[in-house]
Amino acid sequence: MPHSARTSLSHTSWGNVIRAEHQVVSPDQPYAAARVLTEIPAGRPAIAYGCGRSYGDVALNPGGLLIETRRLDCFISFDAEKGLLTCESGVTLAEILRATSVPAKDGSGWLLPVVPGTRFVTVGGAIANDVHGKNAHVFGSFGCHVESLDLARSDGRILTCSAQNNAELFAATVGGLGLTGLILRATLRLRRVEGLALETEEIRFARLADFFALDAESAVGWEYTAAWIDCLARGNQLGRGIYLRARHAPGVSAPPPSLGPRRSVPIAPPLSLVNGLSVRAFNAAYWRKLGTAERVRRVVPYEGAFFPLDALGGWNRLYGPKGFFQFQCVVPPEGAEAATAELLAAIAEAGQGSMLVVLKRFGHVVSPGLLSFPMPGITLALDFPNAGADTVRLMTRLEAIAVAAGGRLYPAKDALMTAESFARGYPRLDRFRGHMDPALSSAFSRRVGLSDASDGSGEGR
């Protein structure tokens, strides 16, 4: 174990379900981080840890070593002609937006082509999980816009990887869950938009079939699309919700979002504030948020549309000391409506779920990673307060429905998926295994059979 390692009990999953003791090192230079990787003793693997926004255990290593990357936070260069940004892997997306998305006089500006639902993630984490956003059907995943990356391996090499150089290792690293090496820096292709503000339209719909009709209608002309779903609605109201579609407003500027949340939840309440009663009340009110109008159109800054949850720091604490699970799956277009209906019916029947339920479409833009989650189809994501065995039973049922439909689960948000489901959902596993670094392993990789289960202590569940 590196001599600078310290003991920590505070490194948890975002869902707060998994707590464990870790040894932690925090290198402040890329070459120091690369050296740490060479000092890891056999049988005591490590994993990179950024902002701690993975919901499950992909960035946890109970009893083992975490390599914090947040201090690798330097910007290296920005080519304002080509939009090529090079930075270290611990830089956050919020910091990139703050530095580069400054509106010009005509309202235009540079923007990350793909952003997930939070800007408080590192570049390294965004690559390792190949995150996606509301425009996945148009621009694909985050990895589609990575020009190159520098990867440290435990044998001491630092390799520059791209679609042209070390291409197989590049494909394994994008979406590779931090298991192929330590990402030190990356070059990203930013995108010039003619207006940083968004024209948005919210549309209330009464049933699941209406979502699919709206989604087909929005495929042309609307770059960003997603829907909030009332997960407790049943019968002929199953799948009702609010559809959001947006596109850039030419000539209208918007300021870059703040580097941190404006308000925060200071401590976790003794009991979850997200329960059947509060979810039912919220959902009933939110579904009527448009009042008597069926649709509302406005022009808004992108901060609220892209990152609504970032407005409240520590919102995960609202789930209380037991935390919560997140479930996200994608099912192929063929049979997507039937599979989604089956998933929502199971959730409504169980009476579990939360206010945060998102349904959206992935398109046919191919993600570059061997283990990238996005594939053509419909993806459903939602939180479940941790109610113990009842919640685990429900999530096991949802996993079975998704896999039977030919779908797969998102590792970055998973804490329960079986090795069999992982293997069925990710057919390029064998190609990926050949690029794994033997010094890296996580609770997730051991749980799904990617790494030797004897590595690390496996404690903390």
Side-chain angles (χ1 to χ4, degrees):
M1 196 67 64
H3 68 277
S4 59
R6 66 186 190 279
T7 300
S8 170
L9 292 171
S10 61
H11 290 70
T12 68
S13 63
W14 185 246
N16 279 327
V17 171
I18 304 165
R19 301 179 182 85
E21 181 177 298
H22 289 90
Q23 297 298 306
V24 180
V25 292
S26 306
D28 60 357
Q29 298 287 336
Y31 287 99
R35 187 171 61 249
V36 167
L37 205 55
T38 66
E39 297 172 347
I40 295 171
R44 298 298 303 277
I47 196 71
Y49 187 94
C51 292
R53 300 303 290 254
S54 294
Y55 287 72
D57 51 3
V58 293
L60 295 182
N61 186 23
L65 181 67
L66 298 181
I67 304 173
E68 283 190 329
T69 61
R70 190 64 187 90
R71 297 176 72 191
L72 307 178
D73 59 355
C74 290
F75 287 88
I76 297 170
S77 66
F78 180 55
D79 184 334
E81 293 295 321
K82 299 178 180 177
L84 293 177
L85 171 75
T86 300
C87 63
E88 293 178 353
S89 60
V91 171
T92 67
L93 305 193
E95 290 166 342
I96 291 176
L97 293 171
R98 193 72 178 175
T100 65
S101 296
V102 179
K105 290 182 179 177
D106 63 358
S108 66
W110 292 105
L111 196 64
L112 284 160
V114 171
V115 291
T118 175
R119 61 187 183 276
F120 304 133
V121 297
T122 64
V123 167
I127 296 172
N129 294 287
D130 199 10
V131 298
H132 56 271
K134 293 180 175 66
N135 61 352
H137 60 292
V138 179
F139 281 88
S141 60
F142 192 89
C144 295
H145 308 279
V146 177
E147 188 76 9
S148 66
L149 57 87
D150 288 351
L151 188 74
R153 301 273 291 185
S154 61
D155 59 9
R157 292 179 299 161
I158 296 178
L159 302 170
T160 297
C161 305
S162 68
Q164 293 77 39
N165 298 316
N166 298 307
E168 267 292 295
L169 185 56
F170 179 73
T173 301
V174 175
L177 309 175
L179 297 171
T180 63
L182 187 63
I183 300 171
L184 300 179
R185 60 179 72 86
T187 297
L188 312 175
R189 284 190 303 275
L190 306 192
R191 171 191 174 210
R192 191 83 189 177
V193 295
E194 54 188 352
L196 282 165
L198 296 177
E199 176 191 1
T200 67
E201 187 170 48
E202 291 181 293
I203 307 169
R204 182 168 52 220
F205 59 92
R207 59 190 64 81
L208 185 61
D210 296 344
F211 163 83
F212 284 89
L214 278 168
D215 201 55
E217 171 192 314
S218 306
V220 177
W222 295 92
E223 177 181 336
Y224 305 96
T225 60
W228 167 84
I229 300 293
D230 178 359
C231 67
L232 297 183
R234 309 174 71 167
N236 60 10
Q237 294 182 324
L238 182 77
R240 72 177 187 177
I242 306 287
Y243 193 88
L244 171 67
R245 56 191 186 186
R247 55 194 172 198
H248 288 279
V252 184
S253 68
S258 61
L259 288 175
R262 293 180 173 83
R263 295 174 297 164
S264 292
V265 179
I267 59 173
L271 296 173
S272 173
L273 299 183
V274 182
N275 52 52
L277 187 63
S278 62
V279 172
R280 196 170 296 282
F282 176 90
N283 286 7
Y286 195 82
W287 191 68
R288 293 171 176 81
K289 64 176 282 194
L290 304 182
T292 56
E294 291 299 314
R295 57 183 67 199
V296 172
R297 187 175 290 201
R298 55 172 69 96
V299 175
V300 299
Y302 64 86
E303 178 177 353
F306 290 171
F307 313 115
L309 290 176
D310 282 352
L312 184 62
W315 61 263
N316 55 337
R317 298 189 182 111
L318 296 174
Y319 287 86
K322 292 183 179 179
F324 68 99
F325 293 98
Q326 163 100 180
F327 174 85
Q328 183 166 5
C329 71
V330 56
V331 294
E334 309 79 19
E337 185 168 345
T340 305
E342 189 175 359
L343 289 164
L344 292 174
I347 294 164
E349 179 185 334
Q352 298 190 54
S354 71
M355 303 86 163
L356 309 174
V357 184
V358 175
L359 191 64
K360 62 186 177 187
R361 178 165 49 93
F362 288 153
H364 290 273
V365 181
V366 178
S367 297
L370 297 177
L371 295 188
S372 290
F373 168 66
M375 69 178 201
I378 296 296
T379 179
L380 172 69
L382 73 161
D383 299 339
F384 292 99
N386 179 15
D390 287 346
T391 306
V392 172
R393 264 194 300 274
L394 172 59
M395 295 190 67
T396 301
R397 183 179 176 190
L398 300 180
E399 176 180 327
I401 294 170
V403 172
R408 58 192 183 205
L409 274 58
Y410 190 11
K413 296 187 174 180
D414 175 71
L416 296 169
M417 175 173 29
T418 66
E420 180 184 1
S421 293
F422 184 60
R424 287 183 63 179
Y426 292 86
R428 296 189 288 182
L429 269 182
D430 287 342
R431 279 178 62 190
F432 175 79
R433 288 180 195 277
H435 299 286
M436 293 177 64
D437 191 303
L440 297 170
S441 165
S442 66
F444 175 86
S445 70
R446 296 189 286 274
R447 173 162 57 84
V448 300
L450 268 174
S451 304
D452 188 337
S454 65
D455 285 344
S457 71
E459 296 174 351
R461 184 60 47 82

